[in-house]
Amino acid sequence: HGSTYGGHPVAAAVALETLNIYEERDIVGRVRALSPRFQDGLRRHADHPLIGEVRGVGLVAGIELVRDKATKEAFSPKLGVGGYFQSQAQEEGLLIRAIGDTIAVCPPLIIVDEEIDELLGCLGRALDSSLKWVRENGLTAT
């Protein structure tokens, strides 16, 4: 279960230097300090009609988009709601990953408070424009 480059000395040296940088810059400490702002901010969107669940830890989160909030009924994969949301987020300047209708939000570990706030604003606008599209096309999200 190895890759061609997995044991290569250059890749190993880069990995070691990465660990040194994480330690020098206290990246783990930064993530611990920033994660409440990020996670709490995401959870403030949990009441949005499109969101069935917000889950995450640290600076990694998943947002589940649902057809019906009360029952948590999923959209048909053929509708591409996650993909539509991804395009709306990108128009707002937010790069996320749609895995079906689960939205992965994983900002860089060097993000700062103001950028988290900007991320959350972009996310909210993308949710609202996606909800409008869902309703205009009769896909529900009551």
Side-chain angles (χ1 to χ4, degrees), residues 38-39 42-43 51-57 60-65 99 101-103 105:
F38 176 67
Q39 293 294 331
L42 290 175
R43 284 178 174 78
I51 295 181
E53 180 182 28
V54 176
R55 56 188 175 270
V57 65
V60 176
I63 300 171
E64 182 183 359
L65 303 179
I99 306 163
D101 289 336
T102 299
I103 307 304
V105 185

mmCIF file of all heavy atoms in Angstrom, residues 38-39 42-43 51-57 60-65 99 101-103 105:
data_model
loop_
_atom_site.group_PDB
_atom_site.id
_atom_site.type_symbol
_atom_site.label_atom_id
_atom_site.label_comp_id
_atom_site.label_asym_id
_atom_site.label_seq_id
_atom_site.Cartn_x
_atom_site.Cartn_y
_atom_site.Cartn_z
ATOM 1 N N PHE A 38 -15.076 29.354 14.283
ATOM 2 C CA PHE A 38 -15.468 28.694 13.039
ATOM 3 C C PHE A 38 -16.670 27.770 13.261
ATOM 4 O O PHE A 38 -17.692 27.895 12.583
ATOM 5 C CB PHE A 38 -14.266 27.911 12.495
ATOM 6 C CG PHE A 38 -14.542 27.108 11.262
ATOM 7 C CD1 PHE A 38 -14.839 27.712 10.062
ATOM 8 C CD2 PHE A 38 -14.480 25.721 11.306
ATOM 9 C CE1 PHE A 38 -15.081 26.964 8.914
ATOM 10 C CE2 PHE A 38 -14.715 24.963 10.174
ATOM 11 C CZ PHE A 38 -15.015 25.584 8.979
ATOM 12 N N GLN A 39 -16.562 26.862 14.218
ATOM 13 C CA GLN A 39 -17.636 25.889 14.453
ATOM 14 C C GLN A 39 -18.921 26.574 14.929
ATOM 15 O O GLN A 39 -20.011 26.246 14.451
ATOM 16 C CB GLN A 39 -17.184 24.828 15.467
ATOM 17 C CG GLN A 39 -16.079 23.922 14.968
ATOM 18 C CD GLN A 39 -16.503 23.025 13.821
ATOM 19 O OE1 GLN A 39 -17.661 22.635 13.684
ATOM 20 N NE2 GLN A 39 -15.555 22.688 12.952
ATOM 21 N N LEU A 42 -20.549 28.362 11.978
ATOM 22 C CA LEU A 42 -21.252 27.437 11.087
ATOM 23 C C LEU A 42 -22.576 26.993 11.704
ATOM 24 O O LEU A 42 -23.602 26.922 11.022
ATOM 25 C CB LEU A 42 -20.391 26.209 10.794
ATOM 26 C CG LEU A 42 -19.169 26.441 9.909
ATOM 27 C CD1 LEU A 42 -18.350 25.162 9.814
ATOM 28 C CD2 LEU A 42 -19.574 26.921 8.526
ATOM 29 N N ARG A 43 -22.552 26.707 12.978
ATOM 30 C CA ARG A 43 -23.765 26.224 13.651
ATOM 31 C C ARG A 43 -24.851 27.309 13.735
ATOM 32 O O ARG A 43 -26.022 26.993 13.868
ATOM 33 C CB ARG A 43 -23.413 25.649 15.009
ATOM 34 C CG ARG A 43 -22.782 24.271 14.843
ATOM 35 C CD ARG A 43 -22.349 23.625 16.150
ATOM 36 N NE ARG A 43 -21.880 22.267 15.921
ATOM 37 C CZ ARG A 43 -20.688 21.933 15.432
ATOM 38 N NH1 ARG A 43 -19.828 22.872 15.099
ATOM 39 N NH2 ARG A 43 -20.353 20.671 15.267
ATOM 40 N N ILE A 51 -30.403 23.349 5.547
ATOM 41 C CA ILE A 51 -29.436 22.596 6.340
ATOM 42 C C ILE A 51 -30.125 21.567 7.220
ATOM 43 O O ILE A 51 -30.967 21.900 8.049
ATOM 44 C CB ILE A 51 -28.566 23.541 7.191
ATOM 45 C CG1 ILE A 51 -27.715 24.418 6.265
ATOM 46 C CG2 ILE A 51 -27.675 22.747 8.147
ATOM 47 C CD1 ILE A 51 -26.793 25.369 6.981
ATOM 48 N N GLY A 52 -29.688 20.312 7.045
ATOM 49 C CA GLY A 52 -30.173 19.228 7.889
ATOM 50 C C GLY A 52 -29.256 18.987 9.066
ATOM 51 O O GLY A 52 -29.705 18.604 10.148
ATOM 52 N N GLU A 53 -27.964 19.206 8.862
ATOM 53 C CA GLU A 53 -27.002 18.978 9.940
ATOM 54 C C GLU A 53 -25.719 19.747 9.652
ATOM 55 O O GLU A 53 -25.292 19.858 8.500
ATOM 56 C CB GLU A 53 -26.678 17.493 10.061
ATOM 57 C CG GLU A 53 -25.688 17.167 11.154
ATOM 58 C CD GLU A 53 -25.322 15.696 11.237
ATOM 59 O OE1 GLU A 53 -25.367 14.995 10.212
ATOM 60 O OE2 GLU A 53 -24.977 15.267 12.349
ATOM 61 N N VAL A 54 -25.112 20.256 10.714
ATOM 62 C CA VAL A 54 -23.768 20.832 10.658
ATOM 63 C C VAL A 54 -22.922 20.007 11.615
ATOM 64 O O VAL A 54 -23.288 19.829 12.766
ATOM 65 C CB VAL A 54 -23.758 22.315 11.102
ATOM 66 C CG1 VAL A 54 -22.336 22.859 11.120
ATOM 67 C CG2 VAL A 54 -24.638 23.158 10.200
ATOM 68 N N ARG A 55 -21.817 19.483 11.117
ATOM 69 C CA ARG A 55 -20.938 18.688 11.973
ATOM 70 C C ARG A 55 -19.490 19.053 11.673
ATOM 71 O O ARG A 55 -19.165 19.454 10.556
ATOM 72 C CB ARG A 55 -21.173 17.200 11.769
ATOM 73 C CG ARG A 55 -21.021 16.745 10.333
ATOM 74 C CD ARG A 55 -21.456 15.280 10.144
ATOM 75 N NE ARG A 55 -21.415 14.888 8.763
ATOM 76 C CZ ARG A 55 -22.411 14.987 7.901
ATOM 77 N NH1 ARG A 55 -23.568 15.484 8.300
ATOM 78 N NH2 ARG A 55 -22.283 14.598 6.659
ATOM 79 N N GLY A 56 -18.653 18.935 12.675
ATOM 80 C CA GLY A 56 -17.253 19.226 12.435
ATOM 81 C C GLY A 56 -16.454 19.285 13.711
ATOM 82 O O GLY A 56 -16.989 19.206 14.819
ATOM 83 N N VAL A 57 -15.160 19.419 13.522
ATOM 84 C CA VAL A 57 -14.221 19.574 14.626
ATOM 85 C C VAL A 57 -13.035 20.385 14.098
ATOM 86 O O VAL A 57 -12.667 20.266 12.927
ATOM 87 C CB VAL A 57 -13.773 18.203 15.185
ATOM 88 C CG1 VAL A 57 -12.991 17.403 14.167
ATOM 89 C CG2 VAL A 57 -12.984 18.365 16.460
ATOM 90 N N VAL A 60 -12.459 21.774 10.294
ATOM 91 C CA VAL A 60 -13.027 20.880 9.290
ATOM 92 C C VAL A 60 -14.508 20.723 9.615
ATOM 93 O O VAL A 60 -14.872 20.468 10.763
ATOM 94 C CB VAL A 60 -12.338 19.495 9.308
ATOM 95 C CG1 VAL A 60 -13.001 18.539 8.344
ATOM 96 C CG2 VAL A 60 -10.856 19.621 9.003
ATOM 97 N N ALA A 61 -15.355 20.887 8.597
ATOM 98 C CA ALA A 61 -16.789 20.768 8.846
ATOM 99 C C ALA A 61 -17.505 20.202 7.638
ATOM 100 O O ALA A 61 -17.033 20.316 6.502
ATOM 101 C CB ALA A 61 -17.381 22.131 9.206
ATOM 102 N N GLY A 62 -18.650 19.609 7.912
ATOM 103 C CA GLY A 62 -19.545 19.141 6.870
ATOM 104 C C GLY A 62 -20.930 19.713 7.122
ATOM 105 O O GLY A 62 -21.400 19.738 8.265
ATOM 106 N N ILE A 63 -21.551 20.189 6.066
ATOM 107 C CA ILE A 63 -22.897 20.736 6.144
ATOM 108 C C ILE A 63 -23.770 19.904 5.217
ATOM 109 O O ILE A 63 -23.507 19.825 4.016
ATOM 110 C CB ILE A 63 -22.932 22.215 5.719
ATOM 111 C CG1 ILE A 63 -22.024 23.046 6.627
ATOM 112 C CG2 ILE A 63 -24.359 22.747 5.706
ATOM 113 C CD1 ILE A 63 -21.820 24.463 6.150
ATOM 114 N N GLU A 64 -24.794 19.296 5.775
ATOM 115 C CA GLU A 64 -25.680 18.453 4.979
ATOM 116 C C GLU A 64 -26.865 19.279 4.481
ATOM 117 O O GLU A 64 -27.595 19.873 5.275
ATOM 118 C CB GLU A 64 -26.186 17.285 5.828
ATOM 119 C CG GLU A 64 -27.061 16.328 5.087
ATOM 120 C CD GLU A 64 -27.591 15.224 5.976
ATOM 121 O OE1 GLU A 64 -27.265 15.186 7.171
ATOM 122 O OE2 GLU A 64 -28.362 14.404 5.465
ATOM 123 N N LEU A 65 -27.026 19.328 3.158
ATOM 124 C CA LEU A 65 -28.167 20.016 2.556
ATOM 125 C C LEU A 65 -29.310 19.014 2.413
ATOM 126 O O LEU A 65 -29.093 17.886 1.971
ATOM 127 C CB LEU A 65 -27.789 20.569 1.181
ATOM 128 C CG LEU A 65 -26.597 21.524 1.137
ATOM 129 C CD1 LEU A 65 -26.325 21.970 -0.296
ATOM 130 C CD2 LEU A 65 -26.815 22.719 2.051
ATOM 131 N N ILE A 99 -19.677 17.095 -1.736
ATOM 132 C CA ILE A 99 -19.599 15.641 -1.829
ATOM 133 C C ILE A 99 -21.051 15.185 -1.826
ATOM 134 O O ILE A 99 -21.645 14.986 -0.773
ATOM 135 C CB ILE A 99 -18.808 15.041 -0.655
ATOM 136 C CG1 ILE A 99 -17.435 15.710 -0.556
ATOM 137 C CG2 ILE A 99 -18.679 13.530 -0.792
ATOM 138 C CD1 ILE A 99 -16.733 15.505 0.766
ATOM 139 N N ASP A 101 -24.593 16.034 -1.557
ATOM 140 C CA ASP A 101 -25.234 17.174 -0.910
ATOM 141 C C ASP A 101 -24.646 17.458 0.469
ATOM 142 O O ASP A 101 -25.253 18.148 1.280
ATOM 143 C CB ASP A 101 -26.747 16.955 -0.817
ATOM 144 C CG ASP A 101 -27.409 17.043 -2.187
ATOM 145 O OD1 ASP A 101 -26.836 17.683 -3.086
ATOM 146 O OD2 ASP A 101 -28.496 16.467 -2.351
ATOM 147 N N THR A 102 -23.466 16.929 0.718
ATOM 148 C CA THR A 102 -22.726 17.301 1.923
ATOM 149 C C THR A 102 -21.612 18.249 1.500
ATOM 150 O O THR A 102 -20.846 17.959 0.595
ATOM 151 C CB THR A 102 -22.131 16.067 2.634
ATOM 152 O OG1 THR A 102 -23.202 15.207 3.032
ATOM 153 C CG2 THR A 102 -21.327 16.479 3.856
ATOM 154 N N ILE A 103 -21.584 19.380 2.149
ATOM 155 C CA ILE A 103 -20.637 20.432 1.805
ATOM 156 C C ILE A 103 -19.469 20.387 2.783
ATOM 157 O O ILE A 103 -19.659 20.533 3.993
ATOM 158 C CB ILE A 103 -21.321 21.818 1.865
ATOM 159 C CG1 ILE A 103 -22.593 21.843 1.005
ATOM 160 C CG2 ILE A 103 -20.353 22.914 1.497
ATOM 161 C CD1 ILE A 103 -22.395 21.453 -0.437
ATOM 162 N N VAL A 105 -16.314 22.070 4.328
ATOM 163 C CA VAL A 105 -15.740 23.393 4.534
ATOM 164 C C VAL A 105 -14.462 23.203 5.345
ATOM 165 O O VAL A 105 -14.514 22.808 6.507
ATOM 166 C CB VAL A 105 -16.716 24.334 5.283
ATOM 167 C CG1 VAL A 105 -16.144 25.742 5.374
ATOM 168 C CG2 VAL A 105 -18.077 24.347 4.612
#
